[in-house]
Amino acid sequence: MSLLDEIKINGIPKHVAIIMDGNGRWAQARNLDRTEGHKAGTDALRRTLEAASIVGIEYMTIYGFSTENWSRPDNEIAALMELIVYSLTKETETFIENGIRLKIIGDINRLPQNAKKALLDCSKQTANGKKLTLTVALSYSSKWELARAAQNIGLDVQQGKLKAENISEATIEHYLETKGIPDPDLLIRTGGEFRISNFLLWQSAYAELYFTDTFWPDFGEKELYEAIFNYQQRERRFGKTSEQIQSENR
Ligand code: FPP
């Protein structure tokens, strides 16, 4: 029996977020340049997307490049940008054929002009995809996103579009980059570290966290299904008691 048969099809997480870590170490272990690890990482992303599509995951959000990644060596940043833009634009047709909608979140004005344009073009061309929304966080960090939301809320209060006393959780969500996307149910981090690294902090308030030692370039169908299987063994209580949840399920 394969792992796919063990997954409950009515318990698939709607939204899976992934921190794709370990590209550099994967490459270094093979005496390769770090960029080779990122290249292998794009293959892992393709495999994982396919597997996600098969089980009906509706939203996948990946951490492609963090605000903090801008402090990496210039040559690695340039190679990474080129690779991300190349692989996403190369896949545009495949995305359209498979109902995948691309969405970019983050401070994209910091990206090179040609990269920004290519990514916005791909988002536009795939905008009608209904099966899976692939959100790529680029030049993104949660603290940046929250500070920006606070600025825009402040401006709207100043201009009388919003009353300070009416600001609710829903208001804040409306000002986040992820507006309209449900919160992640499952957050996966590869590469053996146990942290969230400034990724979807608000949105992951109730996400189930799954950490694996597997380096991102080695991740794929089997590893995704293992994570889903593990997720399905958890009881999501959202602050309630176990008894309440069990009686709701009956
Ligand atoms: C971390 O590995 C990974 C990244 C900085 C993201 C890059 C991801 C890809 C190129 C995959 C494809 C993505 C897209 C959007 C097409 P690391 O370099 O931090 O690894 P290390 O911790 O081993 O050094």
Side-chain angles (χ1 to χ4, degrees):
M1 198 158 78
S2 84
L3 198 54
L4 187 52
D5 300 317
E6 296 191 40
I7 290 175
K8 293 191 285 277
I9 216 67
N10 58 359
I12 299 293
K14 190 170 180 154
H15 182 175
V16 177
I18 310 181
I19 301 175
M20 312 174 291
D21 197 16
N23 291 351
R25 281 166 287 160
W26 181 93
Q28 276 155 0
R30 287 161 180 76
N31 272 327
L32 298 169
D33 190 76
R34 292 176 57 83
T35 311
E36 294 303 317
H38 297 314
K39 278 190 197 152
T42 62
D43 295 332
L45 176 59
R46 197 173 306 111
R47 291 195 299 272
T48 307
L49 254 180
E50 249 179 65
S53 204
I54 288 171
V55 293
I57 289 170
E58 292 176 49
Y59 297 87
M60 209 166 100
T61 300
I62 55 169
Y63 212 178
F65 191 86
S66 70
T67 306
E68 291 76 18
N69 285 153
W70 286 114
S71 48
R72 289 200 176 192
D74 287 348
N75 61 342
E76 184 173 342
I77 295 179
L80 205 43
M81 283 295 153
E82 208 171 298
L83 186 63
I84 290 172
V85 172
Y86 172 76
S87 41
L88 293 175
T89 46
K90 185 167 71 81
E91 300 295 341
T92 304
E93 280 308 314
T94 319
F95 287 168
I96 295 170
E97 282 160 23
N98 291 283
I100 297 175
R101 169 171 75 125
L102 178 76
K103 190 176 156 56
I104 306 289
I105 59 170
D107 189 2
I108 57 165
N109 290 328
R110 283 186 77 178
L111 301 182
Q113 201 50 35
N114 61 338
K116 181 179 157 185
K117 185 181 175 310
L119 295 169
L120 293 178
D121 280 351
C122 180
S123 310
K124 224 182 261 170
Q125 288 178 56
T126 60
N128 290 327
K130 298 271 181 291
K131 200 157 180 256
L132 189 152
T133 298
L134 171 67
T135 303
V136 182
L138 288 176
S139 187
Y140 170 90
S141 78
S142 256
K143 289 188 175 183
W144 165 81
E145 178 187 38
L146 287 163
R148 183 176 163 276
Q151 279 174 15
N152 288 330
I153 289 173
L155 284 172
D156 283 354
V157 170
Q158 235 172 31
Q159 292 169 12
K161 294 183 192 159
L162 189 65
K163 285 196 167 133
E165 61 271 30
N166 289 342
I167 296 171
S168 63
E169 291 180 15
T171 316
I172 293 173
E173 273 157 17
H174 181 83
Y175 285 81
L176 295 179
E177 295 280 288
T178 49
K179 175 186 158 188
I181 295 177
D183 286 345
D185 302 293
L186 170 63
L187 171 63
I188 299 173
R189 179 173 188 141
T190 63
E193 312 283 0
F194 299 96
R195 49 177 179 263
I196 312 282
S197 298
N198 217 346
F199 187 48
L200 303 179
L201 298 181
W202 171 284
Q203 298 86 339
S204 295
Y206 274 103
E208 295 296 329
L209 307 181
Y210 179 83
F211 298 98
T212 169
D213 286 338
T214 304
F215 289 145
W216 176 249
D218 290 328
F219 200 87
E221 181 184 41
K222 175 174 156 284
E223 291 72 20
L224 178 71
Y225 296 161
E226 271 167 7
I228 295 175
F229 183 75
N230 183 293
Y231 162 87
Q232 292 186 339
Q233 313 312 306
R234 318 241 185 125
E235 182 184 58
R236 304 191 75 200
R237 291 199 294 274
F238 299 98
K240 296 183 182 174
T241 67
S242 189
E243 290 70 26
Q244 284 174 302
I245 298 295
Q246 281 164 23
S247 96
E248 280 171 16
N249 288 343
R250 276 196 294 272

